[in-house]
Amino acid sequence: MLETCIGKLKLEKPGMVASGIMDETGASMVRMLESGAGAVVTKSIGLEPNAGHANPTFTEVKGGFVNAMGLPNPGIKMFKEEMNIAVPKGKIIGSIYGASADDFSKLAITMEEYGASAVELNLSCPHAKGYGMELGTDPKLVGSIVSAVKSAVKIPVWAKLTPNTHILTDIGVAVQDAGGDAVVAINTLKAMVISPEFAKPFLSNKFGGLSGPGIKSVGVRAVYDLGSVLDIPIIGVGGIADWRDAAQYIMAGASAFQIGSAIANKGPTIFDTINKDMIKFMRDFGYSSILDMVGVAHE
Amino acid sequence: MSDFVKIIGVNEEAYDTKTFEFQWDEKAIPGQFIMVWVPGMEEIPMSLSKTGRIKSITVKAIGASTRKLHELTIGDSLRIRGPYGKGFDLTKGKKILIIGGGVGTASVMPAIKESGADAIIGARTNKDVIMDDLGHKYAKNLWISTDDGSMGFHGNAVQLMREKVAENNYEIIIACGPEIMLYYIYQACVELNLDCQLSLERHMKCGAGICGCCVIDDQRVCKDGPVFTKEQISKMKDFGVQKRDECGRILKFR
């Protein structure tokens, strides 16, 4: 009942672990797969090891979390060890970030060698200079990166998009026109936290990205907008904490969804809970598969 | 969750270690920690060394951030968030022996206070022994070990533990300290068939169970720990062997 597909990639369960959450090590990815996730998206991996920003990198706010981790990762070479542990246990999506189409292609080729089921291009991180959304808000650049990666690998190529733009659908179309297999929406919203007592920004990077319940409705709308113009599959992400949130994304047009922030408070068992609750809802309301629900809110 | 608190007391525990007290009404249990920040330092995790309405952190000056904290005095503010993590479960065994190694002593002091159990404080020299005054006040029996014999038992805390376990029928060991000490405490517990709960440490970023950078195998120190049971530790391949740096690269302990 819960199986779904994102183009030619089949998933037994529709929920994936979003990039950046419990996915830096092989053992933690295996734990998430065993907790009922249909796939795990890795931490965004670059060409070289990166320590990320100095602490403070994270804080709770009303409605969610603001973070500026700054893309910490051990680099693609050392990540092989983690992939070797995780890949035999389930579907691993390799999230990658780079400064150019060439970087992305190199990383994608290596992820494919490591056994990734797909690559997710990070075109949306809002807190790393020269990376992420700095590339992902220019449709031309997005198109050139996607098409370069497409010609470099055989596995599906997904592009993770930022909501921090007024031309989201143009960017989605650029991914589709370049041959991209799916879009993932949304990454965090640009955000900032100031400590009044110290009259200073709290995060060492000053700026960060907002995630959690506060951005869910923004994400659902972004997926709905993308669903109106795209034929390629969409993966919904942003503030999902229960089956109702997930169902909203699916009905807005998402074939699958990802969960990040909610893992903090609900723990890895959130996937099992949503899977069970979703089956109950589908039985009650006469949906025989996830794909039956995709985009129904458009009709 | 996140709060500003004012320092209401500073206590010099040793030449390199200070305790900062503040009033904070959040409920906390022994073994839990907070993330602490003031401008000009990296935010760092600190165990609570007092867990009542008046709480405290005990800071050993070992790096730039802890030295920055040492500059603070009464009336200065801290931005803190938490409390985070799983603390010690003091209901598990009837006969408890609590061991603090070095500045790890601060992290077990609330458990000593709450349980009134027997306790060991281990340190390199008499100059490094902290909070022995409080330990004498709260513990039923307090013993001290120093590596150089300058105070109490001449030897390390694990050697002293083995002596005390032979004399008393403890059921569970509770401990915090350097991983090498905890590793040998764990080995001794396996050998002597004792239960244990150990407070472990890794490089931490979010503190709240999201980023996954502080994992030992698949367990998040910040959320699944920092206090782990003997059963959890028995499944850890990294414990006593390796940790990860801020990039997520593996660093071997030896």
Side-chain angles (χ1 to χ4, degrees):
Chain A
M1 234 180 153
L2 290 177
E3 57 287 346
T4 186
C5 51
I6 302 146
K8 53 188 178 177
L9 182 70
K10 286 193 173 61
L11 295 182
E12 279 172 47
K13 293 158 205 137
M16 293 175 246
V17 180
S19 181
I21 318 296
M22 285 290 284
D23 52 8
E24 199 173 66
T25 71
S28 49
M29 290 192 274
V30 171
R31 178 179 177 186
M32 299 312 291
L33 287 168
E34 287 170 352
S35 303
V40 174
V41 187
T42 68
K43 218 159 196 105
S44 288
I45 305 297
L47 289 170
E48 298 300 327
N50 178 20
H53 298 311
N55 283 346
T57 47
F58 172 96
T59 190
E60 294 86 352
V61 295
K62 292 184 194 100
F65 307 126
V66 173
N67 89 82
M69 304 306 297
L71 300 169
N73 78 97
I76 190 72
K77 208 172 151 202
M78 290 189 84
F79 202 63
K80 180 178 189 174
E81 230 172 294
E82 316 299 341
M83 292 292 280
N84 283 345
I85 294 166
V87 166
K89 302 286 182 175
K91 293 203 164 65
I92 305 296
I93 315 299
S95 173
I96 52 178
Y97 75 93
S100 66
D102 197 39
D103 288 359
F104 277 100
S105 301
K106 280 185 191 145
L107 290 160
I109 289 167
T110 314
M111 278 293 188
E112 184 174 42
E113 282 169 15
Y114 292 169
S117 298
V119 283
E120 182 182 283
L121 313 180
N122 183 340
L123 299 169
S124 42
C125 173
H127 47 70
K129 214 169 163 38
Y131 298 108
M133 70 165 278
E134 293 194 11
L135 313 174
T137 44
D138 175 351
K140 257 195 198 155
L141 197 49
V142 167
S144 70
I145 292 169
V146 172
S147 93
V149 177
K150 272 304 286 180
S151 52
V153 296
K154 290 194 185 72
I155 51 175
V157 176
W158 305 350
K160 186 165 178 182
L161 307 184
T162 175
N164 302 304
T165 170
H166 62 288
I167 52 165
L168 176 67
T169 51
D170 296 353
I171 295 161
V173 168
V175 173
Q176 178 169 289
D177 290 350
D181 296 280
V183 294
V184 184
I186 55 177
N187 204 315
T188 55
L189 271 67
K190 285 170 78 172
M192 184 172 195
V193 174
I194 289 171
S195 301
E197 287 83 349
F198 295 129
K200 280 188 164 47
F202 173 64
L203 298 173
S204 74
N205 186 54
K206 293 186 184 153
F207 311 112
L210 174 67
S211 66
I215 72 164
K216 183 192 67 198
S217 304
V218 176
V220 171
R221 194 243 159 109
V223 168
Y224 190 95
D225 283 350
L226 289 163
S228 308
V229 297
L230 296 184
D231 299 319
I232 56 172
I234 302 163
I235 295 142
V237 52
I240 296 175
D242 58 27
W243 74 269
R244 297 182 65 90
D245 299 338
Q248 288 193 52
Y249 273 98
I250 293 167
M251 291 183 174
S255 307
F257 57 89
Q258 298 178 352
I259 299 179
S261 297
I263 292 168
N265 294 325
K266 302 212 168 178
T269 56
I270 188 173
F271 287 98
D272 258 346
T273 308
I274 292 184
N275 291 342
K276 284 188 190 120
D277 293 350
M278 187 68 83
I279 287 175
K280 194 160 170 277
F281 167 73
M282 289 165 69
R283 287 204 174 118
D284 278 1
F285 285 80
Y287 295 102
S288 57
S289 77
I290 294 286
L291 294 175
D292 279 356
M293 286 195 286
V294 175
V296 293
H298 285 269
E299 286 157 17
Chain B
M1 282 300 254
S2 68
D3 244 317
F4 281 83
V5 292
K6 274 206 169 135
I7 295 167
I8 56 172
V10 180
N11 190 23
E12 304 246 354
E13 306 289 358
Y15 66 98
D16 60 353
T17 305
K18 287 183 185 180
T19 293
F20 299 91
E21 288 183 326
F22 48 89
Q23 188 184 320
W24 192 39
D25 291 340
E26 288 280 336
K27 246 194 141 121
I29 63 165
Q32 283 193 302
F33 72 95
I34 57 174
M35 297 294 288
V36 182
W37 177 75
V38 298
M41 67 175 274
E42 287 196 21
E43 189 188 38
I44 51 172
M46 292 293 318
S47 286
L48 289 166
S49 52
K50 284 196 181 78
T51 50
R53 231 173 114 233
I54 304 294
K55 296 185 174 60
S56 68
I57 53 172
T58 299
V59 183
K60 183 177 164 115
I62 50 165
S65 294
T66 45
R67 280 196 296 273
K68 178 80 191 170
L69 281 174
H70 269 228
E71 291 170 13
L72 302 181
T73 182
I74 291 171
D76 287 340
S77 296
L78 300 170
R79 188 194 196 268
I80 58 175
R81 54 190 183 91
Y84 294 119
K86 288 208 173 74
F88 297 106
D89 183 350
L90 300 172
T91 65
K92 282 283 163 176
K94 288 183 206 95
K95 197 105 163 81
I96 308 174
L97 175 64
I98 301 180
I99 305 172
V103 75
T105 304
S107 159
V108 296
M109 195 50 69
I112 297 175
K113 185 180 177 187
E114 206 164 301
S115 65
D118 289 350
I120 291 172
I121 294 176
R124 268 180 294 200
T125 73
N126 60 340
K127 284 186 198 147
D128 301 290
V129 173
I130 60 164
M131 303 178 115
D132 49 324
D133 50 341
L134 285 176
H136 280 296
K137 194 168 141 195
Y138 298 139
K140 192 165 159 232
N141 295 293
L142 177 78
W143 302 289
I144 290 166
S145 73
T146 49
D147 296 349
D148 68 350
S150 51
M151 189 172 177
F153 174 83
H154 187 169
N156 66 43
V158 190
Q159 292 169 318
L160 181 55
M161 166 197 152
R162 284 176 177 274
E163 268 193 18
K164 295 302 167 188
V165 168
E167 292 165 13
N168 304 279
N169 42 347
Y170 296 114
E171 293 169 342
I172 182 164
I173 306 292
I174 277 177
C176 181
E179 189 145 324
I180 184 80
M181 176 189 103
L182 297 175
Y183 180 78
Y184 285 107
I185 287 178
Y186 172 76
Q187 297 300 341
C189 287
V190 170
E191 186 191 316
L192 302 166
N193 200 24
L194 290 168
D195 197 5
C196 65
Q197 292 175 30
L198 308 179
S199 177
L200 307 184
E201 192 176 25
R202 283 296 181 271
H203 185 78
M204 213 173 263
K205 288 180 180 175
C206 79
I210 295 192
C211 72
C213 88
C214 67
V215 288
I216 300 181
D217 294 76
D218 63 353
Q219 299 291 304
R220 298 163 294 177
V221 171
C222 70
K223 190 83 178 184
D224 303 306
V227 175
F228 290 98
T229 63
K230 188 182 183 186
E231 204 214 331
Q232 287 174 309
I233 293 168
S234 71
K235 294 178 190 149
M236 292 175 174
K237 294 191 198 94
D238 287 357
F239 174 63
V241 175
Q242 59 187 31
K243 59 182 181 177
R244 287 170 188 274
D245 69 3
E246 56 270 68
C247 306
R249 290 177 295 196
I250 291 167
L251 300 173
K252 301 272 179 200
F253 282 123
R254 51 209 149 114

